[in-house]
Amino acid sequence: MCILVACGDESKRDITAYYFPVKNLKSGKVYEYIVSQNDSIMPEYWYYRAFVRDSGLFLVGTYYDHRFQIGQIIREKIVKSGALAKESHLYEAAADPEVEGGQIHTRTVIEAANKFPFTVSDSSSVFAFRLQFNPPDDPGSTVIVERKRRFLGDAPDFEYDGKKYPCIRFSLSESIGNAKENIEPVESSGEEWYAKGLGLVYYRKEYGDGIFKVEARLTDIFSMAELEQRATSVFGE
């Protein structure tokens, strides 16, 4: 029995080092990704910052689009088993110019919190993230977003800033539906790559049998001050 238990333990793999280097992000860093969507190419930015509280260690990610507008803020708690989503807030540009801040804030309800596991074995395990929200333009309906990840093992090395980093990969399946409408949800499939010491460095998604494709690759990491300078150079003070 002891031998069997030992073999079972050895079959598990610790991949903590492939997630974002949370303990080194207390001062915050911006990850720039170049995203291609069929014929268009544009950047997106994620500002990651870690916080230590009495209740534990947290990582907050803020998404900025190519116009430097906030689109999402997600707060994760880092626990022994992995990264768990605790809050997710969505933002979109308001059509009414009198709306304070020019954006509409939407709260979400997280139903399955798994963002990244720290221990994996094989592709039989599914790590699910699921949330729902009521869109501001149709508050009577409920949008449901679900992402399922499966560990696929090692990925090709990722080259960044002249250095090669070992990577792992996850398969990714996503479903976006509306509980109010009796229609099939929009589904996509793809992959995510995480590099040791960096975090997420690559992802791709395909919708509708490959009719629409999205692919993103990490191109730079820099400070929030530099992101602010870039926004100022485009839009002014």
Side-chain angles (χ1 to χ4, degrees):
M1 183 179 295
C2 292
I3 293 174
L4 290 174
V5 171
C7 290
D9 290 341
E10 291 176 359
S11 68
K12 294 185 178 295
R13 179 177 175 182
D14 186 344
I15 58 171
T16 307
Y18 291 85
Y19 198 50
F20 295 101
V22 180
K23 294 181 179 179
N24 297 329
L25 290 173
K26 293 178 182 178
S27 60
K29 288 291 183 182
V30 176
Y31 280 54
E32 178 186 41
Y33 299 89
I34 296 300
V35 183
S36 61
Q37 300 181 10
N38 287 4
D39 296 331
S40 67
I41 298 177
M42 61 186 65
E44 70 176 28
Y45 309 94
W46 278 90
Y47 176 59
Y48 291 104
R49 188 174 181 184
F51 297 89
V52 178
R53 297 290 183 261
D54 292 341
S55 55
L57 178 62
F58 295 86
L59 179 66
V60 177
T62 303
Y63 163 73
Y64 296 84
D65 64 17
H66 65 285
R67 299 164 298 179
F68 305 101
Q69 296 292 312
I70 292 178
Q72 181 182 11
I73 298 177
I74 185 164
R75 183 171 68 94
E76 305 170 10
K77 186 173 184 179
I78 307 302
V79 298
K80 185 177 180 180
S81 62
L84 302 178
K86 305 300 290 184
E87 294 180 19
S88 179
H89 303 265
L90 305 177
Y91 299 84
E92 62 180 278
D96 185 350
E98 295 185 1
V99 173
E100 184 178 355
Q103 288 189 300
I104 299 174
H105 170 217
T106 302
R107 296 183 180 274
T108 70
V109 176
I110 297 174
E111 298 179 326
N114 293 293
K115 289 299 299 297
F116 188 93
F118 288 163
T119 304
V120 294
S121 53
D122 54 38
S123 61
S124 62
S125 298
V126 177
F127 304 95
F129 171 75
R130 177 185 169 103
L131 62 76
Q132 66 176 35
F133 63 91
N134 304 113
D137 59 346
D138 187 9
S141 66
T142 301
V143 175
I144 300 171
V145 180
E146 185 172 23
R147 297 187 184 98
K148 294 180 180 179
R149 295 175 173 88
R150 294 178 185 267
F151 179 65
L152 298 181
D154 294 325
D157 289 349
F158 183 83
E159 186 169 346
Y160 171 74
D161 198 22
K163 181 180 177 181
K164 290 186 177 181
Y165 292 81
C167 290
I168 58 171
R169 57 160 45 118
F170 285 85
S171 69
L172 180 67
S173 61
E174 183 177 86
S175 173
I176 303 175
N178 194 317
K180 180 181 177 181
E181 303 293 338
N182 187 23
I183 57 176
E184 291 294 321
V186 176
E187 297 184 345
S188 67
S189 61
E191 281 194 8
E192 291 179 332
W193 294 7
Y194 292 82
K196 191 173 184 179
L198 292 178
L200 180 65
V201 295
Y202 170 84
Y203 70 82
R204 65 172 177 82
K205 298 179 184 179
E206 295 186 0
Y207 300 81
D209 296 327
I211 296 175
F212 183 75
K213 298 180 180 180
V214 177
E215 188 173 33
R217 183 177 297 270
L218 177 70
T219 55
D220 204 358
I221 300 175
F222 47 83
S223 67
M224 171 54 75
E226 181 172 339
L227 184 68
E228 292 171 347
Q229 290 175 3
R230 294 189 185 191
T232 300
S233 66
V234 174
F235 298 108
E237 295 292 342

